[in-house]
Amino acid sequence: MLSADQEVSAEIETYKRQLAENDLSLRDHSLLHGALGLAYAASGQRLLARESLTESVALADRVGALDLASKSQFNLALVELSGIGREVVPTNWFAVTRSGGSKREVYGLEPDASENVTLEAVITQLELAAENAGRSGDRALRARALATAAKYQLARESGDNASSLLTAAHDALDASNLDREEIEASLLVGEVGILFLSTQSADADSVILEQSFDRLSSALSASRVSGEQRLEAYAHGLLSRLYGLEARTDEAIALSQRAIELAEASDSRESLFVWHGQLASLFEQSGDTQSALEEYRRATRSIQNIQSVAGAGQVSSRELIEPILLSYVELLLRSGTRDDLMAARTVVEQLKTIEFERFFEESCVADATGSETSIATVAENAAVLYTGLFDDRVELIVSTNSRDP
């Protein structure tokens, strides 16, 4: 059985052989260059990915294939985002496991500071992809491109532009009769809307709040009708997040609990960390500390599920894992008991291990497994400092060979 890297390498060679054939139309060439670009991106070869996707766009423009042009423009924008050090892990985790040919998502590329690409230029590329997608009748891609552009307008602290893009993304989709890709697009629009609501002033909230609720409710209804439990879990989870922003905590808790049930029923293990962490935060807000701690413990046990799906170097510890683990550490430190301090130390070690896996590649860290050394055997007066970096302070946990924290 081939490994994931071997499968990608085999795909690349297949596409290259097909492109060498003489009887291909320009449309076929564009399609194959688009697929090859995505395969290069999946293997971490960004420059070759950019070259192939750019060629795909040029060929699609020559034959007026707006559908192919828009797809390659969108994927090229994601490749460029990685080139300027922006996170390109899919905003919602249901996208992570989509793969195969032209459906492969672009993520996990390392930034290269030598590339002269601006965020503004990438947003323009996304808007062009949205325009072409709309002209070709691809509502899902239009909504995804506009929502992605809105996300990065927020990164530029341009709330007005983000609001306009989110409204256009909302309007690109119907409220009913959504197919699978349109359900996914609706979830993305809703999620970026939640990001907008959590970062902008109250004056900007009302329209985006209504639109986000509309998109997520439509996605929930459509996924339930189609039997897509995995997507239904995401709809419940994101609605929970939206209700949490509105301080409707009891409803938010019930929605997160349902998201966990559906994720487990559909074997969507990669999302359980997110929903358990989200539920823990909601319990914490409600004052139920014990339930919060139990959900945080369940979240930490499910981290491996994310890593097994995404692979080494493809999970954003800063954007996804770190906030939940740090919230868990903060709650443990507030209790101040010896057992909770020891648990906090273990969570900090877990977070550092994840960071090492991301930086050094998972296999390098795995090779070191089993060679860990207890502090008691290092030196008589040895001590280890464990740091927790919070928004407003730094917490230190000290372990020595004479006593635990």
Side-chain angles (χ1 to χ4, degrees), residues 132-289:
N132 285 333
R135 290 168 63 192
S136 69
D138 191 337
R139 298 183 303 179
L141 182 57
R142 174 171 169 77
R144 290 180 67 199
L146 289 168
T148 305
K151 176 181 178 181
Y152 291 105
Q153 285 287 14
L154 288 173
R156 296 178 68 235
E157 299 184 353
S158 181
D160 290 343
N161 287 335
S163 177
S164 297
L165 288 165
L166 277 171
T167 296
H170 170 270
D171 294 344
L173 296 163
D174 288 338
S176 59
N177 300 319
L178 301 177
D179 61 25
R180 181 185 175 84
E181 291 195 352
E182 289 167 345
I183 294 172
E184 292 182 353
S186 291
L187 292 172
L188 177 58
V189 174
E191 187 171 16
V192 178
I194 292 170
L195 178 63
F196 178 95
L197 293 168
S198 65
T199 58
Q200 301 302 299
S201 65
D203 294 339
D205 284 2
S206 59
V207 173
I208 301 301
L209 175 63
E210 181 179 349
Q211 290 174 350
S212 299
F213 181 80
D214 180 45
R215 281 292 106 229
L216 294 174
S217 297
S218 297
L220 177 59
S221 298
S223 58
R224 183 178 290 155
V225 168
S226 63
E228 295 276 3
Q229 283 190 319
R230 190 162 178 256
L231 297 183
E232 188 183 348
Y234 278 96
H236 276 91
L238 292 173
L239 278 169
S240 171
R241 196 173 300 169
L242 187 60
Y243 278 47
L245 287 178
E246 292 295 291
R248 297 166 62 174
T249 308
D250 290 343
E251 294 164 281
I253 286 172
L255 286 164
S256 280
Q257 289 171 329
R258 182 57 178 158
I260 291 169
E261 292 172 0
L262 289 164
E264 290 175 339
S266 59
D267 198 29
S268 302
R269 296 174 300 155
E270 78 287 345
S271 65
L272 287 173
F273 172 80
V274 177
W275 307 140
H276 280 301
Q278 182 170 288
L279 183 56
S281 178
L282 290 166
F283 276 131
E284 190 175 350
Q285 291 172 32
S286 72
D288 189 346
T289 301

Side-chain angles (χ1 to χ4, degrees), residues 304 307 349-350 352-354 356-357 360-374:
Q304 188 60 40
Q307 294 170 301
E349 287 179 335
Q350 187 175 18
K352 297 303 180 185
T353 299
I354 292 168
F356 276 122
E357 288 176 351
F360 289 111
E361 299 283 336
E362 184 176 8
S363 59
C364 296
V365 179
D367 289 342
T369 301
S371 61
E372 299 162 349
T373 302
S374 169

Side-chain angles (χ1 to χ4, degrees), residues 315-356:
V315 174
S316 167
S317 60
R318 180 174 298 278
E319 188 172 281
L320 182 65
I321 295 177
E322 184 179 289
I324 292 176
L325 291 188
L326 284 178
S327 294
Y328 184 21
V329 170
E330 190 168 19
L331 186 58
L332 289 167
L333 291 176
R334 281 208 300 269
S335 77
T337 67
R338 183 172 178 274
D339 286 346
D340 284 342
L341 285 174
M342 292 181 67
R345 182 187 67 179
T346 300
V347 176
V348 171
E349 287 179 335
Q350 187 175 18
L351 180 55
K352 297 303 180 185
T353 299
I354 292 168
E355 291 174 352
F356 276 122

